Amino acid sequence: MAESGMDPEIFDQFLDQLQRYVRERLIPAEKEVIEHDRIPAAILDEMRNMGLFGLSIPVEYGGAGLNMQQYARVIHVMGYAAPAYRSIFSINIGMFSSALKNGGTEAQKAEWWPRVAAGEIACFGLTEPGSGSDSAGLQTTAKPDPSGNGWILNGTKRYITNAPSAKVALIMARTNKDNLPKNTHVSAFIVPMDAPGVSTGTPDKKMGQSGAHIADIMLDDVHLPGEALLGGETGKGFRFAMMSLDNGRISVGAMAAGLARRALDSAIRYANERKAFGEPIANFQLIQQMLAESEMEIYAAECMMDDVTARADRGENVLRKAAAFKVFASEMCGRVVDRVVQVYGGAGYLAEYDAERFYRDARIFRIYEGTTQILLLQIAKHMLREWKEEQR
């Protein structure tokens, strides 16, 4: 079923407004974000008022009702500014909202969609100290509460984006001690972060992406009512999580393309200002080669973004193409920021210049929401499965 999204003319006006906001408000505030490792409260309030926390949530629940193509274009525009700005609302409109859409009950949607659309920050708890890509290694447990129809959760989640500031988490937990086919031993739970027994660790110090926080979530005999189980059924949590990861991977790909575009624009400006041998280094052909190669790769990623999101809006299964887009865009961004450091030369290695920050900020794109290596295996697995089915 195709998703219509926001009226195209209204959306274009919103996007124009957002581009101005990014350049006139968010980019000038980056120095403060980096210095204090947080987004200023005033900017968070502005982002809530602009509706950024509810972009993909249906209008009837307080959101903007964007389709996937519009959602990705917004993330691409936001990607031009520091990654922390996207990170703070990306789980709301990405994996959390998508999981609710795909697997939530009507009561769960009615309770949580308006809250996250209004700006209550969400997080997504799948990764653990001993398991990331390997869901069979997941150790967090959810056992029936002997005193009623609820659940008791125990375990630890690791590297959870927005955990220190989140009001709600979607937590994956074992509801069966055995590893069952198709990961039906894993279920999803909506967990208020102020529930007794929920705590978060100290935010981790990271290579880059200042202002975007990750931390552990500890679950110590957390009692939840029965309605906390996503969809009201056990054994479906992993499927809901994987379906929502398509959304997350598209978001990361769009962000990577946006950051690559920002980095390239920075390199073009620097190459025209920096002089060597009596002329701007932009006149040197090997500098031009690095700029041109970056432009080609960014353009290719932007085309992939438009294609995969259009397919998603038509109702196609985009698991393979979303993975392909995420891999290409994240690897592309790594190559672009590396070239940008090279264009800057010695200055590119100094924290005084943006190139050094772009380089550090980009590195995580190839790791979270599925590492490049895991996604390559997933793409190949689906290709081979389709080939075998075609031979029957």
Side-chain angles (χ1 to χ4, degrees):
M1 179 178 166
E3 293 194 31
S4 57
M6 183 184 287
D7 175 85
E9 186 174 343
I10 296 174
F11 175 72
D12 286 343
Q13 293 172 357
F14 169 74
L15 209 61
D16 287 342
Q17 177 191 7
L18 184 64
Q19 287 173 331
R20 290 195 299 273
Y21 181 71
V22 165
R23 284 161 173 75
E24 296 171 9
R25 176 66 165 140
L26 297 187
I27 289 177
E30 286 177 345
K31 184 177 180 181
E32 182 180 352
V33 170
I34 294 166
E35 183 177 344
H36 298 287
D37 193 26
R38 62 174 175 80
I39 299 171
I43 289 182
L44 280 178
D45 288 340
E46 292 164 7
M47 291 169 68
R48 290 186 176 103
N49 292 335
M50 290 179 70
L52 295 181
F53 286 82
L55 291 172
S56 62
I57 294 171
V59 174
E60 57 268 31
Y61 292 94
L66 300 190
N67 60 30
M68 185 62 76
Q69 195 158 51
Q70 293 170 337
Y71 160 77
R73 289 179 66 191
V74 167
I75 298 299
H76 185 255
V77 168
M78 289 295 297
Y80 203 82
Y85 296 122
R86 178 205 73 104
S87 184
I88 197 66
F89 69 83
S90 65
I91 308 298
N92 283 43
I93 64 174
M95 291 183 289
F96 188 87
S97 177
S98 179
L100 267 185
K101 176 183 175 182
N102 294 325
T105 65
E106 289 306 313
Q108 288 167 341
K109 293 174 183 177
E111 178 178 3
W112 289 105
W113 260 342
R115 293 175 63 173
V116 296
E120 289 193 20
I121 297 168
C123 62
F124 187 88
L126 176 61
T127 302
E128 297 185 355
S131 69
S133 304
D134 176 20
S135 63
L138 188 143
Q139 296 298 313
T140 297
T141 60
K143 297 180 179 178
D145 189 338
S147 63
N149 73 334
W151 299 88
I152 302 176
L153 271 62
N154 282 282
T156 300
K157 297 296 180 179
R158 177 145 294 173
Y159 308 137
I160 306 304
T161 299
N162 293 339
S165 53
K167 298 294 186 183
V168 61
L170 189 67
I171 298 291
M172 304 299 131
R174 279 181 176 269
T175 44
N176 193 299
K177 63 182 176 55
D178 298 318
N179 292 335
L180 300 177
K182 298 183 179 179
N183 294 291
T184 52
H185 57 283
V186 182
S187 302
F189 294 85
I190 301 174
V191 181
M193 292 294 284
D194 61 357
V198 178
S199 60
T200 58
T202 302
D204 294 300
K205 294 183 179 179
K206 312 184 305 303
M207 177 188 293
Q209 303 215 358
S210 296
H213 298 148
I214 63 173
D216 288 1
I217 296 178
M218 284 73 75
L219 306 158
D220 184 14
D221 284 340
V222 178
H223 289 251
L224 298 174
E227 53 266 29
L229 175 63
L230 186 70
E233 294 182 61
T234 61
K236 294 188 175 180
F238 189 78
R239 182 168 65 88
F240 295 146
M242 292 304 100
M243 291 169 70
S244 64
L245 282 177
D246 286 346
N247 187 300
R249 287 163 185 167
I250 288 171
S251 178
V252 172
M255 173 69 204
L259 178 59
R261 178 64 67 190
R262 166 82 179 280
L264 178 57
D265 286 350
S266 173
I268 293 170
R269 182 177 62 253
Y270 184 82
N272 278 284
E273 294 172 350
R274 173 76 166 93
K275 290 186 177 181
F277 305 103
E279 59 183 313
I281 64 171
N283 292 348
F284 302 154
Q285 289 181 333
L286 291 180
I287 295 291
Q288 293 173 5
Q289 179 185 8
M290 289 189 283
L291 299 178
E293 288 176 344
S294 297
E295 171 64 23
M296 290 188 298
E297 291 198 81
I298 295 170
Y299 176 53
E302 291 169 344
C303 289
M304 290 179 74
M305 180 182 79
D306 287 342
D307 178 72
V308 69
T309 54
R311 290 174 182 273
D313 286 334
R314 291 197 296 267
E316 294 183 25
N317 183 336
V318 296
L319 186 150
R320 195 174 87 193
K321 287 181 169 55
F325 169 52
K326 194 269 184 181
V327 169
F328 181 83
S330 61
E331 295 285 342
M332 172 278 295
C333 187
R335 291 189 294 269
V336 169
V337 296
D338 185 74
R339 292 189 196 109
V340 170
V341 170
Q342 197 71 9
V343 169
Y344 270 74
Y349 202 70
L350 302 181
E352 177 185 350
Y353 295 87
D354 287 338
E356 178 266 350
R357 171 167 61 92
F358 297 151
Y359 190 87
R360 289 184 291 104
D361 284 348
R363 189 59 184 86
I364 189 62
F365 294 147
R366 293 149 62 188
I367 297 173
Y368 61 16
E369 311 302 348
T371 66
T372 290
Q373 288 69 33
I374 284 292
L375 294 184
L376 289 173
L377 293 176
Q378 188 179 75
I379 293 165
K381 180 180 72 174
H382 283 270
M383 290 169 61
L384 294 170
R385 181 187 299 166
E386 288 180 13
W387 182 85
K388 289 179 181 178
E389 291 173 353
E390 290 171 358
Q391 305 311 305
R392 293 175 184 171

